[in-house]
Amino acid sequence: MSVERVHRLSYAVDAAAPAGALYALVADTAPWPLFLPDTVHTERLDFDGTVERYSHWTGTDGHPRRSLWRRALDAGRRRVDFREERPAGPVTGAGGSWRVEELAPGWSRLVLEQDLTVVEDPGAERVLAEAGARGRAAADGLRAVAERWRRLDGLLVSFEESVRIQGPAEPVHAFLYEVGAWTGRVAHVAEAEVVEDRPGVQRVRLVSLAEDGTPYPTEEVRVCFPAAGRIVFKRSRPHPLLVAHAGEWSVEPDPAGVTVVCRNDVLLDESAVERVLGPGADLERARRYVREVLGRESRAVLGPAGEYGGEPVRALRSV
């Protein structure tokens, strides 16, 4: 007969940020791939204004795990209670709460309480250690972002590139999926290596060429949703100017053809601006540079995708 035991974990960090700013980061999971190193993708499934369900992909080591969560948000108390819907063994129950306390003007404390019900077996200690490490990393990551709250809008860059194609969706999605074959097809890709241990979950290593021909490596995890025509990605080794880079390729069919969209979301690394762009470079120049580089790379993929899937019928557009 298996024995279950409830374990309670607690972790707290103080942040040089207003309590409201810190709570906002806890409450909105959409940008977590940019703020939390282990988060690959989040997707809200339901939300009634207070209670939400969302899907969470974690693990940038190339083996991301999907989990389903239900959360209750209480903005007045600056508290979020959460519970995993179907935890993986040996965990039979997982939940807890995030709580933000105001310490003083401009100072706040983030408290994470976790409870895990675990079947006592040889792997239980490892599971508890991993859960504790993930919780601490999440709290530390949110604290670090919150302390840049005054500059955060300037550090975040999001944009889309797209192309209209007169043709079927399937070959276009196949081209985007088969990233290992991009060498020789996509102008800036000098090398491409793909490992796919599970169908639809890819670890990708690319060597890209900058505009001056200088090579730089990137690594990313991709989660593919063929039925929806979507591929989401998180770069575990982003461009040298970035702290984090995530995004999505999507193929959207309609009676006249398909629209292929690449969305890029990035968090700039302030400390790297002058090192990468030279003395005197500022954040605005870094924003333009990243927009130009990643936009050019996205268009370099969208062009061949159009040729592969059909005849492009509309010029590329940027948003």
Side-chain angles (χ1 to χ4, degrees):
M1 177 178 172
S2 61
V3 177
E4 295 182 347
R5 181 174 297 176
V6 178
H7 302 263
R8 302 190 186 280
L9 309 174
S10 179
Y11 185 67
V13 291
D14 293 348
L22 185 53
Y23 174 78
L25 297 176
V26 174
D28 184 7
T29 62
W32 280 11
L34 297 181
F35 299 159
L36 306 183
D38 196 45
T39 294
V40 175
H41 178 60
T42 64
E43 190 156 338
R44 176 177 282 174
L45 305 176
D46 301 294
F47 186 53
D48 64 6
T50 301
V51 177
E52 74 166 345
R53 293 179 65 246
Y54 75 99
S55 179
H56 193 186
W57 291 84
T58 54
T60 54
D61 60 352
H63 304 282
R65 169 182 173 267
R66 178 177 182 255
S67 53
L68 294 172
W69 297 84
R70 182 179 295 272
R71 308 200 311 167
L73 285 71
D74 187 338
R77 299 169 61 201
R78 291 192 290 265
R79 180 185 176 103
V80 177
D81 295 311
F82 57 86
R83 181 69 47 186
E84 187 172 4
E85 293 192 349
R86 293 192 292 271
V91 178
T92 59
S97 67
W98 292 98
R99 188 174 73 254
V100 179
E101 303 171 354
E102 184 174 16
L103 300 178
W107 282 90
S108 54
R109 175 170 295 159
L110 178 60
V111 180
L112 172 62
E113 304 279 355
Q114 296 172 275
D115 63 79
L116 293 95
T117 303
V118 182
V119 175
E120 295 299 300
D121 69 10
E125 289 299 322
R126 175 185 56 81
V127 168
L128 290 171
E130 291 177 351
R134 285 195 301 271
R136 291 190 297 273
D140 289 338
L142 293 172
R143 174 199 57 77
V145 174
E147 291 185 338
R148 289 175 282 178
W149 69 278
R150 293 183 184 275
R151 310 182 305 283
L152 191 56
D153 286 347
L155 295 173
L156 293 170
V157 181
S158 296
F159 66 93
E160 291 183 349
E161 302 280 356
S162 69
V163 65
R164 281 286 297 165
I165 298 171
Q166 188 174 359
E170 289 77 8
V172 179
H173 188 273
F175 177 84
L176 297 175
Y177 186 91
E178 295 166 2
V179 61
W182 285 4
T183 305
R185 290 180 169 182
V186 177
H188 69 276
V189 176
E191 298 178 26
E193 299 175 6
V194 182
V195 176
E196 188 167 344
D197 297 323
R198 286 184 290 149
V201 179
Q202 301 174 330
R203 285 177 289 162
V204 179
R205 180 182 179 275
L206 298 177
V207 175
S208 299
L209 300 178
E211 196 170 19
D212 63 359
T214 304
Y216 66 90
T218 60
E219 296 176 5
E220 66 184 50
V221 176
R222 309 203 317 168
V223 181
C224 308
F225 305 94
R230 300 171 59 211
I231 299 172
V232 299
F233 64 87
K234 164 73 175 284
R235 286 194 171 175
S236 54
R237 186 177 182 179
H239 186 280
L241 194 53
L242 303 177
V243 173
H245 180 187
E248 178 177 336
W249 298 93
S250 60
V251 181
E252 305 166 4
D254 58 60
V258 296
T259 301
V260 190
V261 181
C262 179
R263 192 190 78 242
N264 289 276
D265 303 310
V266 305
L267 178 63
L268 294 169
D269 183 353
E270 289 177 281
S271 66
V273 171
E274 291 197 357
R275 183 177 72 248
V276 174
L277 300 181
D282 60 11
L283 201 56
E284 187 56 38
R285 181 180 170 192
R287 290 174 61 86
R288 292 195 303 270
Y289 177 85
V290 166
R291 178 66 180 82
E292 291 167 3
V293 169
L294 298 185
R296 182 172 63 249
E297 290 184 359
S298 299
R299 293 190 297 272
V301 175
L302 290 170
E307 296 169 5
Y308 193 76
E311 180 184 355
V313 298
R314 186 177 301 171
L316 297 168
R317 65 177 173 86
S318 303
V319 177

